[in-house]
Amino acid sequence: MKIKFFTMLFFSAVICFAQEDLKEREKQAAFDPAYSSYSRKKPAYVTLKSGEKVEADIKDVDRKKGQINEIKFIKPDGKKLRVKAEEIVDLYMAPSGLEKMNQQGNFMNDATKWGKSDASKYMNKGYTMYTNQMVSLKNKKKEAEFLMQVINPKFSQFIQVYSDPWAKQTASIGFGGMKLAGGIAKSYYIKKGDEKVLWLTKKDFDEHFASLFMDNAKFKAKYADHKFKWSLLGVYILDYTEFLAEDGKLSK
């Protein structure tokens, strides 16, 4: 009887530790918030395809289906600049209310883990990163270039995740009018390596799981019998990134 009791106690402890490890892993793999606003008090930093780098205030942002397709700037000398997404390589933009946000102070350390990153000097100040991508919105529209917010900048070396501003949310958890846990987006835009950007939805996740992750032996061994969950997408991408880095496939 005592043996049975201690056996149950042991397995309960193992499950408890495993759950705590997963919770910590989820924190490490959390996506950045998706922003649709921008600060008029902080300058934006832009790299154009021409090679020119621009530091200017944002006057207006034009979007299509939530994705940026044109930006109007005001340079420090007062001159106005209107730039289409197709002319831009990347953009670092401060969301509104930046002064009240916690700075992303851990970005430098996380970025160093994967190699040098020019993004760190902006990300550590709370800026969000946008990159130019050719994408078919919702996998239906004609491909066009947009500036898309990277929401996994700390572990985006192999798989980049972009926000879908129009994404629906999973149900949030609440009790007695108090919100205990928020919902998560039901769709993102994802790019693996040099492949085309994919609009990935929760309902289609099982269809794309293997092509996204199962080409790595270590990942395949860890998740061979795993019933994958949409809520763990960030964890899968972080694991996949670490496994590829261990295999020496991290580009410096």
Side-chain angles (χ1 to χ4, degrees):
M1 190 71 178
K2 287 184 178 181
I3 295 176
K4 185 176 180 180
F5 171 76
F6 284 114
T7 300
M8 292 176 62
L9 190 63
F10 170 77
F11 282 110
S12 295
V14 169
I15 292 173
C16 182
F17 281 123
Q19 290 175 337
E20 289 300 317
D21 287 343
L22 181 58
K23 287 181 180 179
E24 182 60 32
R25 195 63 171 166
E26 287 183 273
K27 289 181 182 178
Q28 296 172 358
F31 294 146
D32 287 356
Y35 295 103
S36 59
S37 61
Y38 57 91
S39 174
R40 296 181 182 273
K41 299 179 180 179
K42 299 287 183 178
Y45 300 90
V46 186
T47 300
L48 302 178
K49 289 184 178 180
S50 65
E52 181 184 359
K53 292 184 180 293
V54 178
E55 178 182 341
D57 293 331
I58 296 176
K59 181 182 179 183
D60 193 22
V61 174
D62 292 337
R63 301 174 186 269
K64 183 177 181 181
K65 301 292 184 182
Q67 303 294 353
I68 298 174
N69 61 355
E70 186 176 89
I71 305 180
K72 299 179 182 69
F73 298 99
I74 300 179
K75 290 186 173 183
D77 60 7
K79 291 184 179 180
K80 297 180 181 179
L81 179 65
R82 182 173 180 173
V83 187
K84 293 184 179 296
E86 61 196 46
E87 302 174 70
I88 298 174
V89 175
D90 57 42
L91 162 74
Y92 293 92
M93 183 167 64
S96 63
L98 176 64
E99 295 79 6
K100 298 179 181 180
M101 291 175 55
N102 292 324
Q103 293 184 355
Q104 300 178 19
N106 291 327
F107 183 83
M108 180 70 81
N109 293 333
D110 291 334
T112 303
K113 180 180 179 180
W114 304 118
K116 295 180 180 179
S117 173
D118 293 334
S120 60
K121 60 183 177 181
Y122 301 121
M123 303 296 289
N124 278 323
K125 295 178 182 179
Y127 278 67
T128 51
M129 178 169 67
Y130 296 77
T131 64
N132 175 295
Q133 294 298 330
M134 179 71 76
V135 60
S136 168
L137 297 178
K138 293 193 173 182
N139 302 333
K140 296 177 181 179
K141 304 294 183 180
K142 182 180 179 180
E143 285 189 331
E145 293 179 67
F146 295 95
L147 288 175
M148 307 181 76
Q149 182 191 342
V150 181
I151 57 175
N152 68 324
K154 303 188 208 64
F155 51 103
S156 61
Q157 287 71 16
F158 303 106
I159 298 178
Q160 288 193 339
V161 184
Y162 310 101
S163 70
D164 178 3
W166 284 21
K168 295 181 180 179
Q169 300 283 315
T170 59
S172 59
I173 301 173
F175 178 77
M178 181 182 294
K179 188 175 181 180
L180 303 178
I184 60 173
K186 287 186 176 182
S187 61
Y188 301 103
Y189 286 92
I190 290 188
K191 183 177 182 180
K192 179 180 178 181
D194 296 326
E195 297 176 9
K196 290 185 177 182
V197 176
L198 168 72
W199 183 58
L200 182 66
T201 66
K202 182 177 182 290
K203 67 177 183 179
D204 295 329
F205 188 37
D206 56 345
E207 177 185 339
H208 296 283
F209 188 86
S211 61
L212 283 171
F213 305 114
M214 289 302 190
D215 57 349
N216 179 268
K218 293 178 181 178
F219 187 98
K220 191 172 183 178
K222 179 175 180 178
Y223 291 103
D225 300 319
H226 175 74
K227 186 176 180 181
F228 42 84
K229 299 179 181 179
W230 177 253
S231 61
L232 296 179
L233 176 60
V235 174
Y236 301 141
I237 295 175
L238 180 56
D239 279 352
Y240 185 83
T241 303
E242 289 184 343
F243 289 144
L244 288 183
E246 290 173 3
D247 293 340
K249 297 181 180 180
L250 175 65
S251 54
K252 297 291 184 180

